[in-house]
Amino acid sequence: MPRMTPAGRTVLIWWAITTVLGIALVFNIHRILPGLLPTAASPLAQSQDFTLGLFTVLAVPVAMLVWVTAAYVLITSRTREMPTEDGPPIHGNTLVQSAWLGVSSLLCVGLVVYGLALLPDIYTPRPGNQLVVNVTGQQWQWTFSYPGYGNVTSTSLVLPVGRPVTFRVTSVDVTHSFWIPAMGVKVDANDHEITQAFVRPDLKGNYTVRCAELCGLYHAYMQSPVQVTSAARFVNWVHQQKPATA
Amino acid sequence: MTAQTSVGRPAHHDPNETKPDNPLKRSIVSGIAVGVPLAIIAYFVTSGLVHTTNADPATIRNDSLVIAYLGWGLGFLFGVGAFNRPIQWALSRNEPTHQDELELAGHRGGAWRYFRFTTDHKVVGIQYLVMGMVLFAAGGVAAMLIRLEVIQPGAKMFPIQTYNTIIGMHGLIMIVATIIMITGPFTNFVVPIMIGARDMAFPRLNALSFWLLFTAVPIFLSAPFFGGFQTGWTAYAPLSDQTALGMDAYSLTILFFVASTAVAAVNVVTTVATMRAPGMSWTRLPILTWGSVASSALGLVVMPSFLASQYLLMLDRTIGTGFYKGDRGGSQWLYEHLFWFMGHPEVYVIVLPAFAVVLELLPVFTRKPLFGYRTAVGGIVGVSSLSMIVWAHHMFVTGWSPTASGPFMLTTELISIPTGLVFLASVGTLWRGKAWMTVPMLYLISFLWNFVIGGVTGIYLADVPTDVQLHGSLFVTAHFHYTLMGGGMMAFLAGVYYWYPKMSGRMYDDRLGRIQFWTMQIGFNVTYMAMFYVGLQGEPRRVGDYAAKFAVGNFISSIGAFVIGASMILLWYNLIASKRRGAIAPANPWNAKTLEWQVPTPVPLENFEEIPIVTAGPYEYGTPAEPAHIAGEGVPST
Amino acid sequence: MNKSSPGGGPQAALGKLSMAGAVVAVAVGAALVLGLALLLKALGAHPFTLKASTSSSTGGQTVAHLTISAYPDSMAGEHGKSGGAHPDWVSYGPTTNLWVPAHALVKMTIKNYDSATALNSPFFGNVQGTVGGVAYYNGKPLKRINPNDVAHTFTIHMFPTAGQPPLDVSVPLLGVADNAPNAPGSQYPKPTVVTFEFHTGASGRYIWQCFDPCGGTSYYAGFGGPMQNLGYMAGTVTVGGGAVA
Ligand SMILES: [Cu+2]
Ligand SMILES: [Cu+2]
Ligand SMILES: [Cu+2]
């Protein structure tokens, strides 16, 4: 190990300080900006919020390394006039280059492994008795039908709390994207195809379905209400609805 | 001196050549004079013919419009003289003389050479710079209109279909502008001089690439007059199968633009491979050259996929094929993959030259050699190679095969490793260096700030679990503006201020440059931080109206955007006014060591009196005097 | 040599340009952009907003009356007698911007002069959100009509602004016969008259559209042209603040 120069020590200290401050900021961001993230109404959304926070915490030391080093140079050696002397002719440093490569590779592999471990949460159903909802996107409205309940159809989505849901999503015209921000669910609605998304809503409340793929004139208005309610109220509601076709 | 090579003298011209310029010959005037009538004739002839066989009026106009655009394009290129040499080659056995070549290169000078088919790489570079600035202005006006509409909820400014068209206009204009912004002006003007060449390998192709781009611009700007296109710049099918005739303008624009990038890319790669001065080994190449080659080679592979996607779309829309139509067995998958096979690498087509500009300029303003030159080259080449196998991260939530998401997540995140090497080179070069705070240097620093934010937020989108939530939201929009604008465009602006003295012969106004920098930085960060905020809150992209809870973030974002707009006007003012009233620029105001600063300003035609022999690398700062070249013993001037 | 060469850096040009010129340039640029914005706004403006006529019925309930029409072309809608830029596009008229009072019973009449096109989604053959869940087709009350017989739909859905009550009303319009002759003295056949009633809540802004793929077969899924432009098959409904006496 080469001995650390005073400049190096100063940068290291400030890097540590700013990193700690930055991470503290991440932990308190919901106090400074309430409502930054939509209400997490499913375990999936909660896990996404955690991942967002985790990545931000990991990003802080990386960003600070670049910024603190740059700031140190700017503060200590800045000049408006053309420098009269050149800097030292350093062409590289094998140790620094290898260490940088090693650490960034490790971080990268870590992120990939983490992401792979969470893939089943996105692409497979939650265990349990599935409520199947057929979701149809069209320009510019969603319709939801319940094949388990006589195929009743509605323009609002009502779900019983705590029951796993399988959305079978399609479109009758262009590509839309079925997105419930509060539940962290998103999948495209493709013409002449059925795609699937899975979630278990575990918080009663009123949320929104958004179209997340530009689909023409009224894309901005392509949203529908979502209500997560008790199983009894859900059954009550579903029996008041009428089927799509008589 | 330790500069990379010699000072040349102006090339001598034939004094007998004093004929005045004929503005009608091979110029923009003759181009329009042929192109416009041909477009009109093509439209009426084809609409008359097709009327008899097809009863559907909408289809007819659509076919004819495409033919009219093709008529304009071919007519303009013919009129501007792009086909003169191929025709001459085919019909006679005359070979052009050196005098003919000088004529074509605009050796008599004068402003008209910028408005005609001129082959001198420096003329082409300046043509590209002006075109890039014009495109930034057009895309910027669209951006201002967007932010006016969404400054408050309610879509109170324009009808929503107008808004939907404006976002697509803004998107594609800015994509084209950022693709050409560095490799157009700087690679063309600077790289041949940097490597010790007299011109590009294929001077006619160089001029052709610019005029192909020029052909495409009026086609695209005509889109709003034909109903626009409400698809955004991604033009997803089958929405693009459905939207108005402006979509055909989009498709034809891409046909001409991709041809332009292909021609330019072949030229850049060939030039660097074959035209280097003696002693200019691959490891002595200035890093801008590496960035330009990597970007061009990448574009050469991926841009044709864009052309294919639009060609099929054009067939779907005109002659009724069903490549993207589900009801005819077609599929939006085909479009999405063709599009993103270009769409993601295209980000690196833009960003690689930006990386290279940053690494090129940092040694000059820190007075230090580039830190880890070979590592940086490895980073640039690594990014360019890996970027071709990451495109399907745009498919994570399309409902495609879930088993494919893992591998594409891996390739996408691997890109952070070579990108990190570029950052190491930047930070390592800064370390223990001087910090000469010129306007270009300020932009280099802002690149380091902005691109780190752009890169880090990219991780959220590369990782499937968080991408599911953020995909299609304004978070994505903010992210790619941090990379392409905060990174790419800031590097472009650094380059503009850095090379302006060489390209224009004048110094820019320093005080105005600093005001421009700070307004740009503050405006930019306010705009897109606020956009991250509303994106995390759950506001989707590309909406002209939104819920009340997004109002605060959008208002702040719009105010920031107006500051950016004002800043860009300051840049225009500075560049134009300084061209007339600025101080005469010295040949090497930055005391830089690369070859373009060793030739006089203005740079003579064919650049060097004699081709230099290069004996050292381009960034030998802090090294005791040692000749880096042997002047005057290279290849004599032709 | 490690010393800088003379020749002057950018400092040589410090403050050469006048700041006043820069300020003027910014002002001119801002004015041009704003001018363009106002031009686009004017080009997209609707001729007028149709206000429902109101009266107070027994019990103090505000009752509003609103009549609009759906045409097979643009020769009688909001684009004037000449038909505007696209005379052959289907359209609603006299305008697509509607105003109704808050907390009122709206009695709406739609005269449809157009023939049918099968719905993309049969769901919109249902009458929804009206009083009694029915609409009257030439006087005959129906809860739904055959999806193949629908010419257009009049469907209000919710505006994405929090704090305003939902207003979901959807009524399919029964098409006239494909080969119906023009009525005497008219450029159109005898219309299907559809009447229905709905209640409004507190004030708010809503949008409405047609869900029938009436945009023509040359557009994918029949949703191009008139379906993609305000003023033809889409518009706004403003629920006014407070009851109008
Ligand atoms: Cu949609
Ligand atoms: Cu990508
Ligand atoms: Cu309709």
Side-chain angles (χ1 to χ4, degrees), chain B residues 320-337:
Chain B
T321 55
F323 292 107
Y324 306 135
K325 298 173 183 168
D327 62 357
R328 302 203 190 154
S331 165
Q332 87 288 344
W333 297 117
L334 177 59
Y335 184 87
E336 289 174 18
H337 284 290

Side-chain angles (χ1 to χ4, degrees), chain A residues 56 87 97 123 186 193 221, chain B residues 333 367 375 396 460 471 545:
Chain A
T56 314
Q97 283 159 270
Y123 294 126
K186 185 180 287 142
E193 270 176 15
Y221 303 123
Chain B
W333 297 117
R367 315 307 297 175
T375 319
F396 288 158
Y460 305 151
H471 182 93
D545 199 356

Side-chain angles (χ1 to χ4, degrees), chain B residues 168-255:
Chain B
M169 298 290 295
H170 166 76
L172 191 69
I173 291 173
M174 287 308 202
I175 289 292
V176 170
T178 48
I179 286 177
I180 66 159
M181 69 185 170
I182 291 170
T183 44
F186 306 140
T187 300
N188 269 313
F189 193 103
V190 176
V191 163
I193 315 179
M194 265 183 170
I195 64 170
R198 297 198 184 283
D199 203 324
M200 301 285 273
F202 307 112
R204 282 186 184 77
L205 287 191
N206 204 16
L208 179 63
S209 79
F210 173 77
W211 290 107
L212 276 166
L213 169 66
F214 186 93
T215 305
V217 171
I219 296 178
F220 193 59
L221 294 181
S222 75
F225 299 98
F226 295 101
F229 58 97
Q230 300 189 53
T231 63
W233 89 275
T234 49
Y236 265 25
L239 181 63
S240 47
D241 269 322
Q242 182 191 67
T243 194
L245 297 169
M247 197 71 241
D248 300 304
Y250 178 114
S251 301
L252 266 290
T253 303
I254 297 310
L255 257 58

Side-chain angles (χ1 to χ4, degrees), chain B residues 86-271:
Chain B
I87 292 170
Q88 193 192 21
W89 180 85
L91 301 182
S92 84
R93 297 180 59 192
N94 292 341
E95 287 301 317
T97 63
H98 187 63
Q99 192 56 41
D100 292 340
E101 298 292 354
L102 287 176
E103 180 86 2
L104 206 55
H107 71 126
R108 273 175 294 163
W112 263 103
R113 69 199 152 124
Y114 295 103
F115 297 95
R116 57 174 39 157
F117 194 82
T118 303
T119 54
D120 180 11
H121 70 97
K122 298 179 289 296
V123 172
V124 175
I126 286 168
Q127 286 172 328
Y128 263 111
L129 180 63
V130 174
M131 176 60 86
M133 289 294 294
V134 167
L135 290 174
F136 275 129
V141 168
M144 295 302 107
L145 297 178
I146 291 171
R147 293 315 312 178
L148 271 174
E149 173 88 325
V150 296
I151 192 168
Q152 53 175 339
K156 291 172 188 161
M157 202 69 205
F158 319 119
I160 202 115
Q161 71 265 20
T162 308
Y163 176 85
N164 290 348
T165 291
I166 293 172
I167 56 169
M169 298 290 295
H170 166 76
L172 191 69
I173 291 173
M174 287 308 202
I175 289 292
V176 170
T178 48
I179 286 177
I180 66 159
M181 69 185 170
I182 291 170
T183 44
F186 306 140
T187 300
N188 269 313
F189 193 103
V190 176
V191 163
I193 315 179
M194 265 183 170
I195 64 170
R198 297 198 184 283
D199 203 324
M200 301 285 273
F202 307 112
R204 282 186 184 77
L205 287 191
N206 204 16
L208 179 63
S209 79
F210 173 77
W211 290 107
L212 276 166
L213 169 66
F214 186 93
T215 305
V217 171
I219 296 178
F220 193 59
L221 294 181
S222 75
F225 299 98
F226 295 101
F229 58 97
Q230 300 189 53
T231 63
W233 89 275
T234 49
Y236 265 25
L239 181 63
S240 47
D241 269 322
Q242 182 191 67
T243 194
L245 297 169
M247 197 71 241
D248 300 304
Y250 178 114
S251 301
L252 266 290
T253 303
I254 297 310
L255 257 58
F256 284 101
F257 177 60
V258 170
S260 163
T261 59
V263 165
V266 169
N267 210 351
V268 170
V269 173
T270 312
T271 303

Side-chain angles (χ1 to χ4, degrees), chain C residues 70-71 90-92 114 117 150-154 173 208-215 222-223 226-227 232-234:
Chain C
Y71 304 102
V90 292
S91 69
Y92 272 93
D114 198 8
T117 313
V150 175
H152 303 283
T153 79
F154 176 81
L173 309 185
W208 69 269
Q209 68 168 105
C210 163
F211 275 95
D212 194 66
C214 57
F223 257 66
M227 302 303 289
Y232 293 92
M233 283 286 135

Side-chain angles (χ1 to χ4, degrees), chain A residues 36 38 48 55-56 77 79 81-82 86-87 91 97 100 108 112 123 139 179 181 186 188 190 193 214 216 221, chain B residues 164 231 242 332-333 367 372 375 396-398 405 413 420 435-437 460 465 468-469 471 536-537 545 589 622:
Chain A
L36 177 64
Q48 287 165 352
F55 287 0
T56 314
S77 340
T79 159
E81 302 303 318
M82 181 183 285
D86 284 356
H91 284 270
Q97 283 159 270
W100 183 288
C108 172
V112 175
Y123 294 126
Q139 290 170 314
W179 181 23
K186 185 180 287 142
D188 278 6
N190 297 323
E193 270 176 15
L214 179 57
Y221 303 123
Chain B
N164 290 348
T231 63
Q242 182 191 67
Q332 87 288 344
W333 297 117
R367 315 307 297 175
T375 319
F396 288 158
V397 296
T398 53
S405 287
E413 295 189 348
W436 181 16
M437 302 307 287
Y460 305 151
V468 170
Q469 175 68 350
H471 182 93
L536 285 170
Q537 278 188 306
D545 199 356

